[in-house]
Amino acid sequence: MTDTQVRAPRDVPHPAPGPLPEAVAHKKARRRRRRKEALTGYLFLAPWFVGLIAVTAGPLLASLYLSFTDYSLLGDYEWVGFANYAEMFTDDPRFLKALTNTAIYVFVSVPLQLAFALALALVLDRGIQGLPIYRSVYYLPSLLGSSVAIAVLWRKVFGADGLFNSFLDLFGIEGRSWIGDPSTALGTLIVLNVWTFGSPMVIFLAGLRQIPASYYEAASIDGAGWVRRFRSITLPLLTPIIFFNLVLQLINAFQSFTQAFVVSGGNGQPADSTLFYTMYVYIKGFNSFEMGYASAMAWFLVVIVGSLTALNFIMSRYWVFYGDK
Amino acid sequence: MSYRKSKVWPALFVTGALSFTAACGGDDGGSGDGKVTLRVSWWGETERHEMTEEAIKVFEKQNKDITIESEYSDWDAYYDQLTTKTAAGDAPDVFAIEIRALGEYARNGQLADLAGLVPTDDLDEKLLTSGEVDGTQYAIPTGANAFTVMANTAVFEDAGVGLPDDSSWTWEDYQSLSAEVTGSGGDIYGTQLNFNDAYLRMFAAQRGESFYEGDGLGVSAETVAAWFQTHLDMIDAKGSPSADRSNELGATDIEQSLIATNKGAMGMWWSNQLSAASVGSGEEIKLLQIPRDPSADSSEMFLQPAMFWAASSKSGNQEAAGKLIDFLVNDPRAGEILGSDRGLPMNDTVLKEIEGGLPAADKASLDFINGIRDELADPPSAYPDGAVEIPDMLERYGQEVISGQQSPEEAAQAFLDEADGALG
């Protein structure tokens, strides 16, 4: 999962120098088997591949083309070159606002979410009774987190008369409408994303299970304490998993849409404080009838996420430790 | 070895099954011999869907050769769907549209000229012109609406405050009255802030400015700033909830509004929402005229078509489409079923015939509009391209002002600049 390269089985050294007739036959059979295996693989890929070609690829390429036009969805369009891309940075403060909002959201919520997931995975890994139950319960928010229902619930929780204010009231703190105040609205969405820590947590748990117990035993015998064991064994051996989660969650967070859409009423309210990148793409495309511009924004997001992921892979050389290297 | 073979088959099976399912989702449209199938699209809630379906059944009974397929959705999803279908060359034959997008659709050649298709002799002439774009009748208004102040009489009573004389009240009266209600104690507010462009339109008209002029805005920065300032003042006077609460309220609809939940005395809404507000609160809600500038000689209230019926220019059944629209706006049987759900009918014959049977809320808004009919300003004409963006834009700058991120003057100038780029 983490190690994306699956090693092809290498040829086993032959016992004799010249290929014996039976070895040739053996090799042929193996090649046939390999080919058949590949066929099976491709066949399993086929439904996805057919879908990609028939449904996704066309619109994808079309949107790349349209990003260089002034396509409005309703009428004719003309080639405008890089005008859309230029406008983003020179003539559209809302674009920059959306970019900033999304960057804050991603770079605050993802590290928090991963830290939270790792901490809980460590606790759960200590062999608590009823682990499957806890695991399922903590995983639930991940399944529900991006649903409309949860976003509606969030509005209620962080509204002026919401649950969160009732809780603060217990301590005599006077709350406010957290989703109505431009300085806190984005914060509620960050909390929502952190709350969906279940899926990285489950992956962390699986990773923790892979670390041989003998390492810990040996370290304990040498007198290493809990902190030392965590820093010198758990963390290094878990880096591939952390890396994997980081890449995945970063990409996910950049694409967040539903939560902000529902919490903000579909237009980034209050005062554009929850205007996410994807939501702005949507608004431009479908509310303002500027599909060409929206396409350009979508492709720019591809560039952002692509380069961030590439950067991540480059950086990973310096901190991700693969046990088999 | 045989277990490997068994892996190929499931893969083949899955692929086959998927492509089969995909193939089944084909198009099943198309009409038979001499029969016409019309696709009709509108937005709304369950109540409207049921009423419209009922009216359509009557129409189908009258016109045996026309079959109607309805495609309705709620408001949030409506334009996405309509625009996507239109862009794909698959627009419904007849669809509902509102004034902000009318110009955009018409100027892009998506709407059919309804002049010869729908008889309009009995329709209110003034209102009818708002369905014209560049002199062509692209759309027929479904009915009329006025943007009003709604007053929850029960809340006024609880607060021990009398209803205002709405024939002469000023914006200052509105503010002090709201403050008085909030100050009466209890968990109630005087009014709910509103950034609707119809509100600014009247506010500007009272100062002698028109909101739109040609392809752009006609309103001045001073007026927009003054308008933003009234919102700030209202919060300072505690006539309305605080900025953060107002922002939260602003994003919701009339059912969750202060007047409909009996938490506020006043609010500004369209007159066809009276029924929803009354049902929500269970109390008597009264329609009031908009307050006015002391220097203005009228409130500048206007009737605006609630929405329009339009036909696709790409439709092969425009004659049938015209028949359906004719039925919906001119036939008393349709009027009886649809009531004032899409605004008060603007066909006098229809209106007279259904008047007696109107529900209380509809009757009240009819009486209200009749009462002020003589002083009403002309209905707006179709808006310039890009006008769809104005309401959200106004609300956004309004929120920035009340949240203290920009001064009214800064926000007014920024609004004009941004609107300038979006319009025309």
Side-chain angles (χ1 to χ4, degrees):
Chain A
M1 180 161 37
T2 55
D3 205 345
T4 45
Q5 286 175 318
V6 178
R7 287 205 186 100
R10 296 238 166 79
D11 286 354
V12 186
H14 297 299
L20 296 165
E22 65 200 79
V24 172
H26 188 65
K27 214 173 175 181
K28 257 191 187 158
R30 190 165 48 208
R31 206 178 294 146
R32 206 166 38 228
R33 197 166 64 224
R34 284 254 291 278
R35 207 179 303 144
K36 204 163 184 182
E37 231 171 37
L39 178 69
T40 311
Y42 284 124
L43 274 175
F44 269 111
L45 271 177
W48 176 84
F49 208 66
V50 167
L52 177 80
I53 299 292
V55 184
T56 317
L60 208 68
L61 290 175
S63 79
L64 181 60
Y65 171 74
L66 289 173
S67 74
F68 296 102
T69 69
D70 61 354
Y71 182 47
S72 77
L73 267 182
L74 289 175
D76 299 330
Y77 51 89
E78 275 169 33
W79 182 265
V80 295
F82 280 93
N84 287 329
Y85 292 91
E87 189 187 335
M88 282 181 216
F89 294 98
T90 55
D91 199 24
D92 191 356
R94 285 192 90 192
F95 168 79
L96 298 178
K97 178 84 182 167
L99 199 59
T100 322
N101 284 344
T102 311
I104 294 173
Y105 173 77
V106 170
F107 294 116
V108 174
S109 78
V110 170
L112 276 177
Q113 184 202 39
L114 291 186
F116 216 70
L118 180 57
L120 259 151
L122 285 171
V123 172
L124 290 184
D125 191 45
R126 313 194 76 165
I128 297 177
Q129 266 203 339
L131 173 66
I133 296 172
Y134 284 112
R135 204 167 43 196
S136 311
V137 168
Y138 287 129
Y139 190 65
L140 268 181
S142 279
L143 296 175
L144 303 172
S146 59
S147 69
V148 172
I150 289 298
V152 171
L153 177 75
W154 227 246
R155 271 194 77 88
K156 298 283 174 210
V157 169
F158 288 101
D161 303 314
L163 207 61
F164 188 63
N165 278 346
S166 310
F167 172 74
L168 288 182
D169 207 35
L170 295 177
F171 304 96
I173 303 169
E174 202 191 339
R176 57 179 139 171
S177 174
W178 303 91
I179 54 160
D181 188 330
S183 55
T184 54
L186 185 59
T188 64
L189 290 177
I190 290 177
V191 173
L192 174 56
N193 195 37
V194 174
W195 181 62
T196 61
F197 59 85
S199 68
M201 183 197 76
V202 168
I203 298 170
F204 276 136
L205 259 176
L208 288 172
R209 289 295 158 90
Q210 303 249 318
I211 302 174
S214 52
Y215 292 0
Y216 292 111
E217 269 167 44
S220 295
I221 291 166
D222 286 344
W226 185 85
V227 177
R228 183 73 210 213
R229 286 201 302 263
F230 175 73
R231 275 188 43 209
S232 304
I233 301 172
T234 314
L235 216 46
L237 287 176
L238 214 54
T239 46
I241 312 277
I242 297 176
F243 175 61
F244 171 76
N245 271 332
L246 182 69
V247 170
L248 214 65
Q249 295 303 329
L250 272 183
I251 295 175
N252 262 343
F254 261 108
Q255 296 173 340
S256 298
F257 177 82
T258 320
Q259 304 92 310
F261 188 79
V262 175
V263 169
S264 77
N267 51 17
Q269 283 180 356
D272 268 358
S273 59
T274 59
L275 183 73
F276 278 8
Y277 196 99
T278 48
M279 202 158 83
Y280 193 45
V281 171
Y282 172 84
I283 289 174
K284 274 292 175 192
F286 288 101
N287 292 4
S288 314
F289 304 114
E290 292 177 43
M291 198 45 100
Y293 189 71
S295 301
M297 279 179 64
W299 276 95
F300 186 65
L301 182 64
V302 171
V303 172
I304 297 177
V305 174
S307 17
L308 255 178
T309 310
L311 186 72
N312 239 327
F313 270 93
I314 295 169
M315 296 288 287
S316 75
R317 282 189 215 141
Y318 303 102
W319 65 274
V320 177
F321 169 75
Y322 291 104
D324 55 353
K325 270 185 195 162
Chain B
M1 249 329 140
S2 66
Y3 73 96
R4 285 190 187 279
K5 197 178 190 177
S6 66
K7 253 189 196 166
V8 173
W9 288 110
L12 268 176
F13 176 73
V14 170
T15 316
L18 280 180
S19 26
F20 178 71
T21 344
C24 284
D27 192 24
D28 54 0
S31 49
D33 23 60
K35 279 208 140 205
V36 174
T37 304
L38 276 187
R39 286 163 57 223
V40 183
S41 202
W42 69 84
W43 74 85
E45 310 301 328
T46 320
E47 209 186 334
R48 178 176 293 163
H49 300 330
E50 284 168 359
M51 281 194 278
T52 314
E53 293 276 19
E54 204 184 323
I56 283 175
K57 274 203 192 99
V58 177
F59 175 78
E60 283 179 318
K61 223 172 252 171
Q62 284 179 11
N63 300 276
K64 299 271 188 225
D65 53 336
I66 302 176
T67 317
I68 308 277
E69 271 176 28
S70 32
E71 309 171 349
Y72 49 77
S73 73
D74 63 349
W75 167 248
D76 290 337
Y78 183 70
Y79 269 123
D80 310 346
Q81 292 183 8
L82 183 64
T83 312
T84 314
K85 282 180 200 160
T86 308
D90 189 33
D93 299 287
V94 174
F95 50 87
I97 193 166
E98 36 81 88
I99 195 161
R100 291 184 296 234
L102 174 60
E104 198 103 33
Y105 271 72
R107 290 187 197 104
N108 278 303
Q110 299 293 346
L111 302 183
D113 181 0
L114 297 177
L117 298 173
V118 182
T120 52
D121 302 339
D122 294 338
L123 300 177
D124 184 306
E125 243 173 83
K126 267 192 189 171
L127 272 175
L128 198 57
T129 54
S130 60
E132 282 181 11
V133 180
D134 305 332
T136 308
Q137 193 79 48
Y138 283 114
I140 306 289
T142 57
N145 257 342
F147 198 66
T148 66
V149 173
M150 287 191 192
N152 185 322
T153 52
V155 175
F156 265 102
E157 207 166 300
D158 286 348
V161 178
L163 283 167
D165 171 13
D166 68 331
S167 63
S168 65
W169 67 332
T170 63
W171 294 109
E172 251 170 61
D173 297 338
Y174 173 55
Q175 185 188 311
S176 54
L177 189 70
S178 302
E180 205 181 326
V181 173
T182 312
S184 72
D187 201 10
I188 51 171
Y189 295 99
T191 191
Q192 175 175 345
L193 293 188
N194 193 303
F195 293 107
N196 198 304
D197 51 323
Y199 173 11
L200 177 56
R201 181 187 193 92
M202 291 182 284
F203 187 87
Q206 291 176 4
R207 296 165 142 246
E209 295 173 8
S210 60
F211 191 64
Y212 288 117
E213 240 170 41
D215 273 352
L217 287 180
V219 68
S220 71
E222 295 78 53
T223 297
V224 179
W227 186 69
F228 282 142
Q229 187 65 45
T230 61
H231 291 86
L232 265 186
D233 293 345
M234 186 61 93
I235 294 176
D236 286 342
K238 297 208 175 1
S240 74
S242 59
D244 52 321
R245 278 173 181 262
S246 293
N247 287 343
E248 187 187 333
L249 269 173
T252 56
D253 49 349
I254 184 136
E255 270 117 36
Q256 270 119 55
S257 68
L258 292 179
I259 48 163
T261 52
N262 295 316
K263 284 184 199 148
M266 291 179 283
M268 290 186 192
W269 301 94
W270 289 102
S271 53
N272 70 330
Q273 293 173 300
L274 178 62
S275 149
S278 309
V279 170
S281 77
E283 305 288 348
E284 194 201 338
I285 311 279
K286 272 197 74 158
L287 295 177
L288 302 179
Q289 292 189 49
I290 293 282
R292 55 187 75 185
D293 193 273
S295 68
D297 34 304
S298 136
S299 65
E300 298 289 348
M301 290 182 70
F302 60 95
L303 286 183
Q304 172 166 303
M307 54 191 99
F308 300 85
W309 288 115
S312 166
S313 61
K314 311 284 191 290
S315 164
N317 303 315
Q318 291 185 1
E319 211 163 303
K323 260 191 193 171
L324 176 65
I325 298 176
D326 176 28
F327 170 80
L328 289 169
V329 296
N330 286 325
D331 196 312
R333 268 164 300 181
E336 212 172 307
I337 297 167
L338 298 170
S340 73
D341 177 63
R342 287 190 177 87
L344 281 171
M346 44 172 253
N347 179 322
D348 277 341
T349 329
V350 172
L351 199 54
K352 286 221 177 70
E353 216 156 304
I354 66 167
E355 207 172 337
L358 281 178
D362 291 351
K363 185 82 181 61
S365 55
L366 178 62
D367 289 346
F368 174 78
I369 288 176
N370 279 336
I372 58 167
R373 203 175 275 275
D374 295 338
E375 1 174 349
L376 287 175
D378 282 350
S381 46
Y383 294 168
D385 281 359
V388 269
E389 295 186 55
I390 298 297
D392 276 357
M393 212 185 279
L394 258 189
E395 182 161 35
R396 170 156 47 86
Y397 283 111
Q399 289 176 340
E400 291 194 8
V401 169
I402 62 173
S403 306
Q405 295 183 340
Q406 286 197 47
S407 74
E409 289 74 24
E410 286 166 351
Q413 196 51 55
F415 165 71
L416 290 186
D417 291 345
E418 194 180 332
D420 209 35
L423 292 173

